[in-house]
Amino acid sequence: MLFPHYYLIYPAIFYSKVKKIPFILVPLVHFGEPNSEENFNLFFNEKGKFLLKKCDYILTITDDEKAKLAANGINPAKIKVSGIGIEAKQEKPSNADNFRKKYNINSTYVLQISTQTHDKGSHHTVEAMKVLWQKGIDIKLVLIGQILSDFEAYLLFQESYVFENTIILNYASEEDK
């Protein structure tokens, strides 16, 4: 887990203890690439562990995230899996046709909404799409989110067919999403 704002979290924990209210943290833990310990300490460091141990409850998105925290010394009894936060019955009806028309998409497409960087799998997504495109499969890639420098550098070395089949949006409206 990589908290960029420790200086805000420490006082929040202190305040919750003083006021005797539960402190709940949603860490959105990043453990780096699967089967690679190289980035593990960057994403799950001692400061983060300390903060998690001080929490009354921790909300995780997945069971895997919960298991990884528990395996690293965090009390599993205080970890609750909350999921992604969308209930099927709460979803708004999709208006994919408007999105397709707006961006001139006449085929199947793959959508990734995140910061566009190696750690979010952007490189891997493009590489997978290249396999499909090279097989002649008519499919588009839509990337929504800020492009970080590592992904930008990667894109600079792509062949033209990658750009012809990729729509890159730094920002998308709620309607588009």
Side-chain angles (χ1 to χ4, degrees), residues 29-31 34 40 44 60-72 79-83:
V29 181
H30 289 257
F31 293 106
F40 184 75
F44 192 70
T60 64
I61 300 291
T62 66
D63 290 321
D64 288 343
E65 188 180 6
K66 177 181 178 176
K68 189 82 168 184
L69 289 176
N72 282 278
I79 305 171
K80 310 297 180 199
V81 178
S82 65

Side-chain angles (χ1 to χ4, degrees), residues 24-115:
I24 302 169
L25 188 63
V26 184
L28 301 174
V29 181
H30 289 257
F31 293 106
E33 292 185 42
N35 306 315
S36 170
E37 297 296 318
E38 185 177 337
N39 289 327
F40 184 75
N41 290 329
L42 171 65
F43 290 111
F44 192 70
N45 57 45
E46 292 304 317
K47 289 178 185 175
K49 288 180 195 177
F50 175 82
L51 289 173
L52 289 168
K53 289 177 181 179
K54 295 288 185 189
C55 295
D56 296 296
Y57 292 100
I58 300 163
L59 297 181
T60 64
I61 300 291
T62 66
D63 290 321
D64 288 343
E65 188 180 6
K66 177 181 178 176
K68 189 82 168 184
L69 289 176
N72 282 278
I74 307 302
N75 180 358
K78 66 181 183 178
I79 305 171
K80 310 297 180 199
V81 178
S82 65
I84 201 78
I86 300 172
E87 298 291 329
K89 62 185 175 198
Q90 294 176 338
E91 290 182 28
K92 294 179 181 177
S94 172
N95 204 344
D97 290 337
N98 285 347
F99 184 82
R100 287 177 181 281
K101 286 178 189 172
K102 183 174 181 178
Y103 295 103
N104 196 28
I105 300 172
N106 299 313
S107 63
T108 302
Y109 64 93
V110 170
L111 170 65
Q112 179 176 336
I113 302 176
S114 70
T115 304

Side-chain angles (χ1 to χ4, degrees), residues 144-164:
I144 299 175
Q146 179 185 12
I147 295 177
L148 297 189
S149 59
D150 68 314
F151 188 62
E152 182 177 28
Y154 165 82
L155 284 176
L156 290 174
F157 292 99
Q158 298 308 307
E159 294 184 39
S160 62
Y161 74 91
V162 172
F163 296 102
E164 291 164 5

Side-chain angles (χ1 to χ4, degrees), residues 104-143:
N104 196 28
I105 300 172
N106 299 313
S107 63
T108 302
Y109 64 93
V110 170
L111 170 65
Q112 179 176 336
I113 302 176
S114 70
T115 304
Q116 303 305 322
T117 182
H118 184 272
D119 291 339
K120 296 286 187 177
S122 303
H123 297 74
H124 302 93
T125 302
V126 172
E127 289 300 315
M129 296 299 291
K130 285 166 62 173
V131 170
L132 299 175
W133 293 325
Q134 288 169 355
K135 290 182 177 184
I137 296 173
D138 184 21
I139 189 167
K140 298 291 183 197
L141 174 60
V142 179
L143 301 173

